[in-house]
mmCIF file of all heavy atoms in Angstrom:
data_model
loop_
_atom_site.group_PDB
_atom_site.id
_atom_site.type_symbol
_atom_site.label_atom_id
_atom_site.label_comp_id
_atom_site.label_asym_id
_atom_site.label_seq_id
_atom_site.Cartn_x
_atom_site.Cartn_y
_atom_site.Cartn_z
ATOM 1 N N ARG A 1 -5.902 -92.752 3.066
ATOM 2 C CA ARG A 1 -6.773 -91.670 3.545
ATOM 3 C C ARG A 1 -6.337 -90.395 2.836
ATOM 4 O O ARG A 1 -5.143 -90.127 2.718
ATOM 5 C CB ARG A 1 -6.628 -91.546 5.059
ATOM 6 C CG ARG A 1 -7.633 -90.625 5.680
ATOM 7 C CD ARG A 1 -8.399 -91.352 6.771
ATOM 8 N NE ARG A 1 -9.411 -90.477 7.346
ATOM 9 C CZ ARG A 1 -10.691 -90.670 7.218
ATOM 10 N NH1 ARG A 1 -11.129 -91.720 6.564
ATOM 11 N NH2 ARG A 1 -11.562 -89.849 7.750
ATOM 12 N N VAL A 2 -7.301 -89.618 2.356
ATOM 13 C CA VAL A 2 -7.003 -88.363 1.676
ATOM 14 C C VAL A 2 -7.713 -87.208 2.368
ATOM 15 O O VAL A 2 -8.757 -87.391 2.986
ATOM 16 C CB VAL A 2 -7.407 -88.391 0.179
ATOM 17 C CG1 VAL A 2 -6.592 -89.411 -0.589
ATOM 18 C CG2 VAL A 2 -8.885 -88.666 0.006
ATOM 19 N N SER A 3 -7.127 -86.027 2.269
ATOM 20 C CA SER A 3 -7.748 -84.799 2.757
ATOM 21 C C SER A 3 -7.965 -83.891 1.565
ATOM 22 O O SER A 3 -7.064 -83.728 0.725
ATOM 23 C CB SER A 3 -6.846 -84.112 3.778
ATOM 24 O OG SER A 3 -6.732 -84.898 4.926
ATOM 25 N N VAL A 4 -9.146 -83.302 1.484
ATOM 26 C CA VAL A 4 -9.528 -82.487 0.337
ATOM 27 C C VAL A 4 -10.137 -81.187 0.839
ATOM 28 O O VAL A 4 -10.908 -81.182 1.791
ATOM 29 C CB VAL A 4 -10.566 -83.240 -0.542
ATOM 30 C CG1 VAL A 4 -10.998 -82.401 -1.725
ATOM 31 C CG2 VAL A 4 -10.024 -84.577 -1.006
ATOM 32 N N LEU A 5 -9.778 -80.104 0.184
ATOM 33 C CA LEU A 5 -10.419 -78.818 0.403
ATOM 34 C C LEU A 5 -10.993 -78.441 -0.945
ATOM 35 O O LEU A 5 -10.243 -78.205 -1.899
ATOM 36 C CB LEU A 5 -9.394 -77.780 0.870
ATOM 37 C CG LEU A 5 -9.932 -76.437 1.305
ATOM 38 C CD1 LEU A 5 -10.788 -76.572 2.563
ATOM 39 C CD2 LEU A 5 -8.799 -75.459 1.544
ATOM 40 N N GLY A 6 -12.337 -78.451 -1.071
ATOM 41 C CA GLY A 6 -12.905 -78.233 -2.382
ATOM 42 C C GLY A 6 -14.394 -77.982 -2.361
ATOM 43 O O GLY A 6 -15.016 -77.859 -1.305
ATOM 44 N N CYS A 7 -14.941 -77.924 -3.562
ATOM 45 C CA CYS A 7 -16.359 -77.625 -3.740
ATOM 46 C C CYS A 7 -17.115 -78.891 -4.104
ATOM 47 O O CYS A 7 -16.632 -79.725 -4.863
ATOM 48 C CB CYS A 7 -16.530 -76.572 -4.829
ATOM 49 S SG CYS A 7 -15.817 -74.993 -4.333
ATOM 50 N N VAL A 8 -18.305 -79.001 -3.547
ATOM 51 C CA VAL A 8 -19.167 -80.164 -3.761
ATOM 52 C C VAL A 8 -20.149 -79.841 -4.878
ATOM 53 O O VAL A 8 -20.657 -78.727 -4.969
ATOM 54 C CB VAL A 8 -19.923 -80.504 -2.456
ATOM 55 C CG1 VAL A 8 -20.895 -81.644 -2.666
ATOM 56 C CG2 VAL A 8 -18.937 -80.834 -1.351
ATOM 57 N N SER A 9 -20.411 -80.828 -5.706
ATOM 58 C CA SER A 9 -21.388 -80.658 -6.785
ATOM 59 C C SER A 9 -22.122 -81.976 -7.004
ATOM 60 O O SER A 9 -21.615 -83.040 -6.668
ATOM 61 C CB SER A 9 -20.693 -80.220 -8.075
ATOM 62 O OG SER A 9 -19.757 -81.195 -8.482
ATOM 63 N N PRO A 10 -23.325 -81.879 -7.580
ATOM 64 C CA PRO A 10 -24.020 -83.123 -7.921
ATOM 65 C C PRO A 10 -23.256 -83.831 -9.035
ATOM 66 O O PRO A 10 -22.650 -83.185 -9.893
ATOM 67 C CB PRO A 10 -25.389 -82.664 -8.424
ATOM 68 C CG PRO A 10 -25.445 -81.190 -8.265
ATOM 69 C CD PRO A 10 -24.084 -80.702 -7.912
ATOM 70 N N GLY A 11 -23.294 -85.146 -9.015
ATOM 71 C CA GLY A 11 -22.646 -85.901 -10.074
ATOM 72 C C GLY A 11 -23.501 -85.931 -11.329
ATOM 73 O O GLY A 11 -24.624 -85.424 -11.363
ATOM 74 N N VAL A 12 -22.938 -86.518 -12.365
ATOM 75 C CA VAL A 12 -23.659 -86.650 -13.633
ATOM 76 C C VAL A 12 -24.871 -87.559 -13.463
ATOM 77 O O VAL A 12 -25.938 -87.284 -13.990
ATOM 78 C CB VAL A 12 -22.716 -87.199 -14.737
ATOM 79 C CG1 VAL A 12 -23.464 -87.446 -16.027
ATOM 80 C CG2 VAL A 12 -21.558 -86.244 -14.966
ATOM 81 N N GLU A 13 -24.705 -88.623 -12.688
ATOM 82 C CA GLU A 13 -25.805 -89.556 -12.426
ATOM 83 C C GLU A 13 -26.596 -89.082 -11.209
ATOM 84 O O GLU A 13 -26.030 -88.539 -10.258
ATOM 85 C CB GLU A 13 -25.259 -90.963 -12.167
ATOM 86 C CG GLU A 13 -24.465 -91.557 -13.318
ATOM 87 C CD GLU A 13 -25.300 -91.843 -14.544
ATOM 88 O OE1 GLU A 13 -26.523 -92.038 -14.414
ATOM 89 O OE2 GLU A 13 -24.730 -91.894 -15.642
ATOM 90 N N ALA A 14 -27.896 -89.297 -11.225
ATOM 91 C CA ALA A 14 -28.765 -88.890 -10.115
ATOM 92 C C ALA A 14 -28.319 -89.562 -8.815
ATOM 93 O O ALA A 14 -27.999 -90.745 -8.804
ATOM 94 C CB ALA A 14 -30.210 -89.260 -10.420
ATOM 95 N N GLY A 15 -28.278 -88.790 -7.747
ATOM 96 C CA GLY A 15 -27.912 -89.325 -6.440
ATOM 97 C C GLY A 15 -26.425 -89.338 -6.160
ATOM 98 O O GLY A 15 -26.010 -89.682 -5.061
ATOM 99 N N CYS A 16 -25.614 -88.970 -7.128
ATOM 100 C CA CYS A 16 -24.166 -88.965 -6.935
ATOM 101 C C CYS A 16 -23.711 -87.600 -6.447
ATOM 102 O O CYS A 16 -24.263 -86.575 -6.831
ATOM 103 C CB CYS A 16 -23.445 -89.313 -8.231
ATOM 104 S SG CYS A 16 -23.797 -90.988 -8.790
ATOM 105 N N LEU A 17 -22.694 -87.595 -5.597
ATOM 106 C CA LEU A 17 -22.156 -86.361 -5.044
ATOM 107 C C LEU A 17 -20.641 -86.393 -5.225
ATOM 108 O O LEU A 17 -19.987 -87.381 -4.891
ATOM 109 C CB LEU A 17 -22.526 -86.265 -3.563
ATOM 110 C CG LEU A 17 -22.473 -84.916 -2.908
ATOM 111 C CD1 LEU A 17 -23.363 -83.892 -3.629
ATOM 112 C CD2 LEU A 17 -22.900 -85.017 -1.453
ATOM 113 N N ILE A 18 -20.096 -85.292 -5.738
ATOM 114 C CA ILE A 18 -18.688 -85.210 -6.098
ATOM 115 C C ILE A 18 -18.055 -84.028 -5.374
ATOM 116 O O ILE A 18 -18.684 -82.983 -5.234
ATOM 117 C CB ILE A 18 -18.530 -84.998 -7.633
ATOM 118 C CG1 ILE A 18 -19.331 -86.038 -8.428
ATOM 119 C CG2 ILE A 18 -17.065 -84.976 -8.051
ATOM 120 C CD1 ILE A 18 -18.944 -87.470 -8.183
ATOM 121 N N ILE A 19 -16.797 -84.182 -4.935
ATOM 122 C CA ILE A 19 -16.026 -83.042 -4.454
ATOM 123 C C ILE A 19 -14.798 -82.925 -5.340
ATOM 124 O O ILE A 19 -14.179 -83.931 -5.705
ATOM 125 C CB ILE A 19 -15.626 -83.169 -2.965
ATOM 126 C CG1 ILE A 19 -14.993 -81.861 -2.476
ATOM 127 C CG2 ILE A 19 -14.706 -84.346 -2.723
ATOM 128 C CD1 ILE A 19 -14.848 -81.757 -0.977
ATOM 129 N N THR A 20 -14.479 -81.697 -5.741
ATOM 130 C CA THR A 20 -13.317 -81.438 -6.578
ATOM 131 C C THR A 20 -12.293 -80.675 -5.751
ATOM 132 O O THR A 20 -12.586 -79.597 -5.225
ATOM 133 C CB THR A 20 -13.708 -80.630 -7.825
ATOM 134 O OG1 THR A 20 -14.729 -81.353 -8.524
ATOM 135 C CG2 THR A 20 -12.521 -80.430 -8.745
ATOM 136 N N ASP A 21 -11.097 -81.240 -5.634
ATOM 137 C CA ASP A 21 -10.019 -80.640 -4.853
ATOM 138 C C ASP A 21 -9.601 -79.311 -5.484
ATOM 139 O O ASP A 21 -9.311 -79.254 -6.683
ATOM 140 C CB ASP A 21 -8.838 -81.604 -4.797
ATOM 141 C CG ASP A 21 -7.761 -81.169 -3.838
ATOM 142 O OD1 ASP A 21 -7.311 -80.007 -3.922
ATOM 143 O OD2 ASP A 21 -7.344 -81.980 -3.007
ATOM 144 N N ASN A 22 -9.573 -78.237 -4.686
ATOM 145 C CA ASN A 22 -9.203 -76.913 -5.189
ATOM 146 C C ASN A 22 -7.754 -76.842 -5.647
ATOM 147 O O ASN A 22 -7.420 -76.020 -6.503
ATOM 148 C CB ASN A 22 -9.444 -75.844 -4.116
ATOM 149 C CG ASN A 22 -10.896 -75.495 -3.961
ATOM 150 O OD1 ASN A 22 -11.745 -75.896 -4.762
ATOM 151 N ND2 ASN A 22 -11.213 -74.763 -2.911
ATOM 152 N N VAL A 23 -6.871 -77.678 -5.104
ATOM 153 C CA VAL A 23 -5.456 -77.622 -5.453
ATOM 154 C C VAL A 23 -5.152 -78.477 -6.686
ATOM 155 O O VAL A 23 -4.606 -77.987 -7.668
ATOM 156 C CB VAL A 23 -4.579 -78.067 -4.259
ATOM 157 C CG1 VAL A 23 -3.110 -78.110 -4.641
ATOM 158 C CG2 VAL A 23 -4.793 -77.144 -3.077
ATOM 159 N N SER A 24 -5.526 -79.752 -6.622
ATOM 160 C CA SER A 24 -5.154 -80.680 -7.702
ATOM 161 C C SER A 24 -6.177 -80.745 -8.827
ATOM 162 O O SER A 24 -5.862 -81.186 -9.921
ATOM 163 C CB SER A 24 -4.970 -82.091 -7.135
ATOM 164 O OG SER A 24 -6.215 -82.625 -6.715
ATOM 165 N N GLY A 25 -7.421 -80.341 -8.559
ATOM 166 C CA GLY A 25 -8.483 -80.463 -9.550
ATOM 167 C C GLY A 25 -9.055 -81.865 -9.642
ATOM 168 O O GLY A 25 -9.945 -82.131 -10.441
ATOM 169 N N LYS A 26 -8.567 -82.773 -8.804
ATOM 170 C CA LYS A 26 -9.025 -84.159 -8.830
ATOM 171 C C LYS A 26 -10.405 -84.267 -8.195
ATOM 172 O O LYS A 26 -10.692 -83.646 -7.183
ATOM 173 C CB LYS A 26 -8.036 -85.046 -8.080
ATOM 174 C CG LYS A 26 -8.329 -86.515 -8.226
ATOM 175 C CD LYS A 26 -7.180 -87.353 -7.728
ATOM 176 C CE LYS A 26 -7.483 -88.814 -8.019
ATOM 177 N NZ LYS A 26 -6.346 -89.665 -7.752
ATOM 178 N N ALA A 27 -11.276 -85.089 -8.806
ATOM 179 C CA ALA A 27 -12.637 -85.295 -8.308
ATOM 180 C C ALA A 27 -12.705 -86.608 -7.539
ATOM 181 O O ALA A 27 -12.071 -87.600 -7.917
ATOM 182 C CB ALA A 27 -13.616 -85.316 -9.466
ATOM 183 N N TYR A 28 -13.483 -86.607 -6.459
ATOM 184 C CA TYR A 28 -13.727 -87.794 -5.650
ATOM 185 C C TYR A 28 -15.229 -87.966 -5.492
ATOM 186 O O TYR A 28 -15.958 -86.990 -5.352
ATOM 187 C CB TYR A 28 -13.102 -87.658 -4.252
ATOM 188 C CG TYR A 28 -11.604 -87.555 -4.268
ATOM 189 C CD1 TYR A 28 -10.983 -86.315 -4.332
ATOM 190 C CD2 TYR A 28 -10.806 -88.695 -4.213
ATOM 191 C CE1 TYR A 28 -9.604 -86.207 -4.341
ATOM 192 C CE2 TYR A 28 -9.430 -88.601 -4.221
ATOM 193 C CZ TYR A 28 -8.832 -87.354 -4.285
ATOM 194 O OH TYR A 28 -7.462 -87.252 -4.299
ATOM 195 N N GLN A 29 -15.682 -89.202 -5.466
ATOM 196 C CA GLN A 29 -17.096 -89.513 -5.305
ATOM 197 C C GLN A 29 -17.377 -89.675 -3.813
ATOM 198 O O GLN A 29 -16.753 -90.494 -3.142
ATOM 199 C CB GLN A 29 -17.415 -90.775 -6.092
ATOM 200 C CG GLN A 29 -18.874 -91.011 -6.323
ATOM 201 C CD GLN A 29 -19.421 -92.053 -5.385
ATOM 202 O OE1 GLN A 29 -18.873 -93.114 -5.225
ATOM 203 N NE2 GLN A 29 -20.514 -91.742 -4.756
ATOM 204 N N ILE A 30 -18.291 -88.832 -3.261
ATOM 205 C CA ILE A 30 -18.531 -88.804 -1.814
ATOM 206 C C ILE A 30 -19.990 -89.102 -1.462
ATOM 207 O O ILE A 30 -20.494 -88.633 -0.445
ATOM 208 C CB ILE A 30 -18.083 -87.464 -1.205
ATOM 209 C CG1 ILE A 30 -18.846 -86.289 -1.826
ATOM 210 C CG2 ILE A 30 -16.587 -87.283 -1.344
ATOM 211 C CD1 ILE A 30 -18.691 -84.987 -1.064
ATOM 212 N N SER A 31 -20.656 -89.873 -2.257
ATOM 213 C CA SER A 31 -22.078 -90.161 -2.039
ATOM 214 C C SER A 31 -22.349 -90.893 -0.729
ATOM 215 O O SER A 31 -23.473 -90.886 -0.238
ATOM 216 C CB SER A 31 -22.638 -90.970 -3.207
ATOM 217 O OG SER A 31 -22.508 -90.234 -4.401
ATOM 218 N N SER A 32 -21.325 -91.517 -0.131
ATOM 219 C CA SER A 32 -21.540 -92.251 1.119
ATOM 220 C C SER A 32 -21.463 -91.347 2.349
ATOM 221 O O SER A 32 -21.642 -91.823 3.473
ATOM 222 C CB SER A 32 -20.528 -93.387 1.248
ATOM 223 O OG SER A 32 -19.229 -92.870 1.447
ATOM 224 N N ALA A 33 -21.215 -90.056 2.175
ATOM 225 C CA ALA A 33 -21.129 -89.136 3.324
ATOM 226 C C ALA A 33 -22.471 -89.053 4.047
ATOM 227 O O ALA A 33 -23.517 -88.964 3.417
ATOM 228 C CB ALA A 33 -20.718 -87.744 2.846
ATOM 229 N N VAL A 34 -22.417 -89.100 5.385
ATOM 230 C CA VAL A 34 -23.628 -88.978 6.207
ATOM 231 C C VAL A 34 -23.311 -88.037 7.357
ATOM 232 O O VAL A 34 -22.436 -88.343 8.158
ATOM 233 C CB VAL A 34 -24.070 -90.342 6.760
ATOM 234 C CG1 VAL A 34 -25.282 -90.189 7.666
ATOM 235 C CG2 VAL A 34 -24.368 -91.323 5.643
ATOM 236 N N PRO A 35 -23.960 -86.895 7.437
ATOM 237 C CA PRO A 35 -24.890 -86.342 6.455
ATOM 238 C C PRO A 35 -24.121 -85.873 5.223
ATOM 239 O O PRO A 35 -22.899 -85.765 5.251
ATOM 240 C CB PRO A 35 -25.520 -85.158 7.200
ATOM 241 C CG PRO A 35 -24.468 -84.728 8.163
ATOM 242 C CD PRO A 35 -23.753 -85.990 8.573
ATOM 243 N N LYS A 36 -24.838 -85.578 4.168
ATOM 244 C CA LYS A 36 -24.213 -85.143 2.922
ATOM 245 C C LYS A 36 -24.055 -83.617 2.909
ATOM 246 O O LYS A 36 -24.960 -82.909 3.314
ATOM 247 C CB LYS A 36 -25.067 -85.566 1.731
ATOM 248 C CG LYS A 36 -25.164 -87.065 1.578
ATOM 249 C CD LYS A 36 -25.984 -87.438 0.372
ATOM 250 C CE LYS A 36 -26.205 -88.914 0.218
ATOM 251 N NZ LYS A 36 -25.223 -89.817 0.671
ATOM 252 N N PRO A 37 -22.903 -83.117 2.422
ATOM 253 C CA PRO A 37 -22.779 -81.673 2.243
ATOM 254 C C PRO A 37 -23.752 -81.197 1.169
ATOM 255 O O PRO A 37 -24.039 -81.927 0.219
ATOM 256 C CB PRO A 37 -21.332 -81.469 1.800
ATOM 257 C CG PRO A 37 -20.700 -82.805 1.723
ATOM 258 C CD PRO A 37 -21.704 -83.845 2.071
ATOM 259 N N ASP A 38 -24.253 -79.982 1.307
ATOM 260 C CA ASP A 38 -25.239 -79.432 0.383
ATOM 261 C C ASP A 38 -24.561 -78.555 -0.670
ATOM 262 O O ASP A 38 -24.072 -77.472 -0.347
ATOM 263 C CB ASP A 38 -26.259 -78.605 1.170
ATOM 264 C CG ASP A 38 -27.361 -78.046 0.304
ATOM 265 O OD1 ASP A 38 -27.378 -78.301 -0.920
ATOM 266 O OD2 ASP A 38 -28.225 -77.335 0.855
#
């Protein structure tokens, strides 16, 4: 389990959602979030 504080952005592929950790800069794919952050 990971905890992230970061900004959400659309992924390169349509329908993908990414969050980038403000501390580490690591990106995670969060497309399964319900509801999805905007």
Side-chain angles (χ1 to χ4, degrees):
R1 189 125 182 113
V2 295
S3 294
V4 179
L5 187 66
C7 294
V8 176
S9 61
V12 176
E13 300 293 335
C16 296
L17 199 57
I18 309 300
I19 188 167
T20 303
D21 189 309
N22 284 350
V23 176
S24 69
K26 188 168 185 171
Y28 296 91
Q29 196 258 311
I30 60 167
S31 300
S32 69
V34 177
K36 295 181 184 329
D38 183 1

